[in-house]
């Protein structure tokens, strides 16, 4: 029975990890062409509306689905059917109310919220986005119910479905509205319409699936006496509030970042609103590319927590330390070439993906963010190691400190005329560099057998730097004879081949390291790694 539960847990974690990775990749595929359709100003409107949405959504839904799934799982384990049903109904009503309130706030206060960000023309996009809060909040009840029964498929499928609908409908609406001759603010609202539509479609999928699979089960009367709705709400709140507080740090920082940067550009540097929004949209295009490497850390982090926790449960502290070291080494092997590649090829990548944007600003932002992406990836891995070792609160404090530091760096740098918008990615770099260092130090101090950092970082760093030089040189040679697109693809291919050869020659990772990755044994066999 325990083995079956364990397998169910690992299978569920793998499904969710895979779906999150797919969603992140689809999200990038969505935002890259969207940025080209909307232009810098329109992309600024889009991201400003999204920042408000993310903040309200995180406050509304970050902790409650987890609390709901935990409460339902406990009641289900005790065969308390009446309690399970009541928890679902109470949670559903709660989510509907939270969603309605969030949607109402976004719709009614769209104009002042947009003006607070220094982007008054983002209001139409904010209004269109408002319904998404209601749809996603309501979805959370159905996802929480399924996860409480160890069924991760509805969550995974609905997430991928959302991403695909957003990609197709959002791009089509943005392009069509722009073609009709409307301004970028309405085209951005059209793109947001794809997000709202995707939320509705995913909600309908979850409702239909829930009705078909659970109606009969929910009608079966149990022998237990369920708790009162008030007591259930208190139980859910006790679990949800700490999770919500910790999960809200990043979206709050992102929202404050949109307010701070755009208003500083206008107040301190005297830029008109349209120019400030355009520069922020340009910066967000670099952010879209910078987010890609961290998408590939999700499946690795999903493996770390159960693997380390299982070793610690068996009192195998040395084994837990080896797993943590292997995970960090594999993460470094993946993150370092991605970050170095984005940095050394920042200008051609921007020219390739966004030929109509402000090349100087966007490429400079991507250069800095490429370096920052390495520390973001390492932070995610360190979070997983600390959580697996029972120190889940530490990453929350570290991220809060890093976020506060980012806002301070933004405030200092963005006001300097020679720096301006380029100060925003510097704030991001300083933030995640600081967080990664604090977490690596914490791992060294709180884990029984900490990783040897020289073994983790020296060889991957050396291989990544050589790869970066090869990619940079090959682009220089190829660009003399080929166009930007072929030169970028060729440089990435050369860099990739050089890096794989170096990984094998320098013995950067072992077979045990790769075993942590999905299909790791096959990768080790392919590369002849022992």
């Amino acid at each position: 029975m325990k083995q079956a539960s364990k397998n169910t847990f690992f299978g569920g974690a793998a499904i969710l990890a895979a779906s999150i990775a797919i969603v992140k990749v689809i999200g990038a595929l969505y935002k890259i062409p969207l940025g080209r359709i909307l232009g810098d100003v329109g992309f600024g409107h889009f991201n400003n509306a999204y920042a408000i949405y993310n903040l309200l959504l995180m406050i509304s839904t970050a902790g409650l689905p987890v609390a709901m799934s935990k409460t339902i799982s406990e009641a289900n384990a005790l065969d308390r059917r009446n309690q399970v049903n009541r928890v679902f109904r109470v949670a559903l009503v709660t989510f509907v109310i939270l969603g309605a309130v969030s949607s109402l706030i976004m719709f009614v206060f769209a104009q002042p919220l947009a003006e607070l960000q220094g982007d008054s023309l983002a209001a139409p996009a904010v209004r269109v986005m408002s319904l998404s809060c209601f749809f996603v909040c309501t979805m959370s009840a159905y996802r929480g119910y399924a996860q409480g029964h160890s069924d991760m498929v509805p969550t995974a499928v609905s997430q991928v479905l959302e991403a695909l609908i957003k990609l197709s409908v959002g791009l089509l609406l943005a392009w069509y509205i722009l073609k009709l001759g409307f301004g970028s603010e309405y085209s951005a609202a059209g793109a947001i319409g794809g997000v709202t539509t995707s939320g509705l479609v995913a909600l309908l999928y979850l409702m239909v699936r829930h009705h078909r699979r659970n109606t009969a089960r929910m009608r079966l009367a149990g022998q237990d006496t369920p708790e009162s709705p008030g007591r259930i709400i208190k139980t859910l709140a006790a679990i949800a509030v700490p999770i919500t507080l910790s999960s809200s740090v990043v979206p709050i920082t992102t929202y404050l970042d949109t307010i701070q940067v755009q208003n500083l550009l206008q107040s301190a540097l005297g830029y008109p609103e349209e120019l400030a929004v355009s520069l922020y949209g340009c910066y967000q295009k670099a952010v879209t590319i910078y987010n890609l490497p961290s998408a590939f850390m999700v499946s690795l982090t999903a493996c770390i927590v159960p693997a380390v926790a299982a070793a610690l449960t068996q009192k195998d502290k040395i084994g837990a330390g080896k797993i943590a070291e292997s995970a960090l080494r594999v993460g470094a092997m993946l993150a370092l070439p991605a970050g170095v590649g984005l940095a050394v090829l920042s200008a051609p990548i921007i020219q390739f993906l966004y030929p109509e944007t402000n090349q100087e600003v966007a490429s400079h932002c991507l250069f800095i963010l490429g370096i920052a992406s390495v520390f973001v990836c390492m932070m995610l891995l360190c979070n997983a190691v600390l959580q697996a070792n029972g120190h889940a609160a530490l990453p929350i404090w570290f991220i809060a400190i890093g976020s506060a530091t980012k806002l301070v760096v933004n405030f200092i740098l963005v006001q300097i005329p020679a720096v301006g918008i380029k100060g925003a990615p510097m704030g991001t770099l300083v933030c995640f560099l600081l967080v990664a260092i604090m977490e690596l130090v914490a791992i060294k101090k709180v884990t029984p057998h900490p990783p040897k950092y020289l073994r983790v970082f020296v060889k991957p760093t050396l291989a990544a730097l050589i790869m970066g030089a090869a990619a940079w040189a090959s682009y220089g040679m190829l660009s003399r004879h080929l166009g930007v697109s072929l030169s970028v693809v060729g440089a990435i291919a050369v860099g990739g081949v050089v890096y794989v050869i170096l990984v094998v020659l320098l013995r950067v990772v072992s077979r045990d390291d790769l075993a942590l990755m999905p299909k790791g044994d096959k990768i080790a066999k392919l590369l002849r790694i022992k």
Side-chain angles (χ1 to χ4, degrees):
M1 182 68 181
K2 288 183 179 179
Q3 185 64 35
S5 298
K6 183 179 177 182
N7 291 338
T8 300
F9 169 77
F10 285 135
I15 289 170
L16 281 181
S19 71
I20 292 169
I22 291 169
V23 166
K24 282 182 175 286
V25 172
I26 293 173
L29 293 175
Y30 164 62
K31 285 192 173 182
I32 289 171
L34 181 65
R36 296 184 67 165
I37 292 170
L38 295 178
D40 292 345
V41 177
F43 202 59
H45 297 324
F46 175 87
N47 281 284
N48 284 329
Y50 224 95
I52 299 170
Y53 164 74
N54 275 337
L55 175 61
L56 290 172
L57 196 65
M58 190 63 68
I59 293 170
S60 302
T61 65
L64 276 172
V66 178
M68 180 185 171
S69 63
K70 181 178 185 295
T71 307
I72 286 179
S73 179
E74 291 171 350
N76 197 45
L78 298 173
D79 199 27
R80 297 185 63 194
R81 293 195 191 97
N82 293 334
Q83 175 71 359
V84 168
N85 294 341
R86 181 165 289 182
V87 168
F88 173 70
R89 293 190 186 101
V90 169
L92 180 59
V93 171
T94 304
F95 278 120
V96 167
I97 292 171
L98 287 172
V101 170
S102 298
S103 294
L104 197 62
I105 289 171
M106 283 192 74
F107 188 83
V108 174
F109 298 102
Q111 194 62 50
L113 285 170
E115 289 175 358
L116 182 63
Q117 291 176 298
D119 182 12
S120 60
L121 294 180
V126 176
R127 288 195 181 94
V128 175
M129 181 70 90
S130 62
L131 269 176
S132 291
C133 276
F134 178 77
F135 294 145
V136 177
C137 282
T138 308
M139 262 194 280
S140 297
Y142 292 99
R143 286 173 173 169
Y145 181 86
Q147 290 171 23
H149 288 87
S150 300
D151 183 6
M152 307 301 173
V153 173
T155 298
V157 172
S158 63
Q159 286 175 338
V160 174
L161 187 62
E162 266 188 282
L164 290 172
I165 297 293
K166 179 172 66 176
L167 171 69
S168 54
V169 176
L171 291 178
L172 181 62
L173 285 175
W175 169 80
Y176 186 67
I177 290 172
L178 208 59
K179 186 181 178 183
L180 291 176
F182 290 96
S184 61
E185 66 271 28
Y186 294 105
S187 184
I192 295 293
V195 178
T196 303
T197 304
S198 70
L200 174 60
V201 172
L203 174 59
L204 291 174
Y205 159 76
L206 288 169
M207 291 175 69
V208 170
R209 192 182 194 280
H210 177 84
H211 178 74
R212 287 180 176 176
R213 298 209 169 201
N214 299 301
T215 300
R217 177 165 57 186
M218 294 182 74
R219 284 176 180 170
L220 292 174
Q223 302 300 315
D224 61 299
T225 301
E227 295 174 357
S228 67
R231 185 174 178 81
I232 290 172
I233 290 175
K234 287 181 180 179
T235 301
L236 292 174
I239 302 170
V241 170
I243 297 172
T244 300
L245 290 174
S246 62
S247 301
S248 297
V249 173
V250 172
I252 288 172
T253 304
T254 302
Y255 179 61
L256 292 176
D257 183 62
T258 66
I259 295 173
Q260 183 188 47
V261 171
Q262 290 170 108
N263 279 289
L264 281 174
L265 289 174
Q266 294 173 54
S267 61
L269 301 184
Y271 291 175
E273 181 181 295
E274 184 175 358
L275 177 57
V277 174
S278 174
L279 289 171
Y280 193 76
C282 190
Y283 161 60
Q284 284 298 321
K285 288 178 179 178
V287 170
T288 297
I289 304 168
Y290 139 86
N291 282 331
L292 272 174
S294 61
F296 299 98
M297 293 294 113
V298 175
S299 58
L300 188 56
T301 57
C303 297
I304 294 173
V305 175
V308 172
L312 290 174
T313 301
Q314 296 169 357
K315 310 297 182 184
D316 183 9
K317 296 180 179 179
I318 295 176
K322 288 181 178 178
I323 292 169
E325 182 174 313
S326 290
L328 290 175
R329 188 159 44 243
V330 172
M333 181 191 73
L334 297 173
L336 281 163
V340 170
L342 289 179
V344 300
L345 296 176
S346 57
I349 287 173
I350 289 294
Q351 192 177 355
F352 172 40
L353 296 176
Y354 299 111
E356 298 172 359
T357 197
N358 185 322
Q359 296 294 309
E360 193 270 333
V361 170
S363 60
H364 185 92
C365 289
L366 183 58
F367 176 81
I368 298 169
L369 291 173
I371 300 169
S373 70
V374 176
F375 300 109
V376 173
C377 291
M378 297 316 300
M379 176 201 73
L380 293 172
L381 295 170
C382 290
N383 285 351
V385 172
L386 289 169
Q387 288 167 7
N389 281 275
H391 298 281
L394 286 177
I396 299 169
W397 288 107
F398 294 151
I399 293 170
I401 293 169
S403 297
T405 305
K406 171 180 169 56
L407 295 175
V408 172
V409 173
N410 282 358
F411 183 78
I412 295 170
L413 293 182
V414 174
Q415 296 188 70
I416 301 173
V419 179
I421 189 64
K422 298 171 189 174
M426 279 302 300
T428 301
L429 173 59
V430 172
C431 167
F432 290 110
L433 171 62
L434 179 61
V435 174
I437 290 172
M438 288 190 293
E439 294 195 349
L440 287 169
V441 171
I443 288 172
K444 201 76 174 175
K445 290 188 175 183
V446 303
T447 55
H449 290 273
K452 306 291 184 183
Y453 289 144
L454 287 178
R455 290 201 303 236
V456 169
F457 293 113
V458 171
K459 289 182 179 180
T461 301
L462 177 62
L465 290 174
I466 296 172
M467 177 225 71
W472 177 79
S474 60
Y475 177 80
M477 290 186 289
L478 290 171
S479 62
R480 296 174 187 172
H481 309 287
L482 303 172
V484 174
S485 302
L486 290 176
S487 299
V488 169
V489 173
I492 292 172
V494 170
V497 170
V498 168
Y499 189 69
V500 170
I501 292 171
L502 289 170
V503 165
V504 176
L505 290 180
L506 296 175
R507 300 180 185 273
V508 172
V509 290
S510 66
R511 181 178 288 270
D512 289 339
D513 294 336
L514 292 176
L516 282 172
M517 297 175 61
K519 307 294 183 183
D521 291 334
K522 291 184 178 180
I523 296 172
K525 187 176 181 181
L526 180 66
L527 298 178
R528 298 181 180 179
I529 294 175
K530 297 180 180 179

